[in-house]
Amino acid sequence: MSGENQRVDASSGTTDLAPPPAPAPVSRAGRLARPALVLGAAAAALAYVGTVDPNEPGHYPVCPLFRLTGVLCPGCGGLRSAHAFAHGDLVTAIGANAMAVAGYFFFAGFMVLWLVRAYRGVASPKLVVRPLYWWALGVVAVVFSVVRNLPMGSFLAP
């Protein structure tokens, strides 16, 4: 047994396990700090992409897979999608990369959940993704990539 949670009774020389000290209560501002910082960083990144237009050449690097093979990966058009999304043009954002737009809405929902739980003092949501869901997401990304590279799926190409 470790000595940090033991209490020794001086009269009998026996030891009893003392309960660990209760953690200090965290203020609401302290609970909101982490989700607010994550949200602030994401908003700053979106604001940057909204300001620096990826449609103008020279601002961002070209997708290496597209440059080498001409094949659109699942992320191709993601910056153009973010730029359109930052300007409130949802149709153009979906046209540039529909999968990225789904990710924006998933992130927004997760952030709302995290902020509400932090505000109420409930434990932070745990984002534990089972391997099956990772595989499903991978299959969706591969199918999305294949379809957007076919003539019938050209509406998914940026």
Side-chain angles (χ1 to χ4, degrees):
M1 287 199 273
S2 68
E4 61 191 50
N5 288 336
Q6 292 182 2
R7 183 177 44 206
V8 178
D9 185 359
S11 62
S12 67
T14 62
T15 60
D16 293 328
L17 286 178
V26 180
S27 69
R28 182 172 287 157
R31 291 190 313 262
L32 288 170
R34 283 183 35 200
L37 286 172
V38 170
L39 187 59
L46 187 63
Y48 178 79
V49 174
T51 304
V52 181
D53 191 356
N55 295 304
E56 295 178 15
H59 291 294
Y60 300 101
V62 177
C63 173
L65 180 67
F66 183 72
R67 177 173 277 184
L68 292 173
T69 65
V71 174
L72 297 168
C73 74
C76 282
L79 286 172
R80 286 173 280 196
S81 174
H83 179 77
F85 193 80
H87 288 273
D89 188 357
L90 192 58
V91 173
T92 302
I94 291 171
N97 191 322
M99 211 167 140
V101 174
Y104 306 150
F105 284 111
F106 176 81
F107 177 77
F110 181 77
M111 287 307 305
V112 166
L113 177 66
W114 192 7
L115 286 165
V116 167
R117 290 178 69 111
Y119 182 83
R120 291 182 178 168
V122 181
S124 298
K126 300 291 183 210
L127 187 60
V128 179
V129 182
R130 295 180 183 167
L132 176 66
Y133 296 140
W134 282 117
W135 281 102
L137 182 62
V139 167
V140 167
V142 168
V143 169
F144 177 70
S145 293
V146 169
V147 170
R148 74 191 313 210
N149 283 289
L150 295 174
M152 70 173 194
S154 62
F155 66 95
L156 292 174

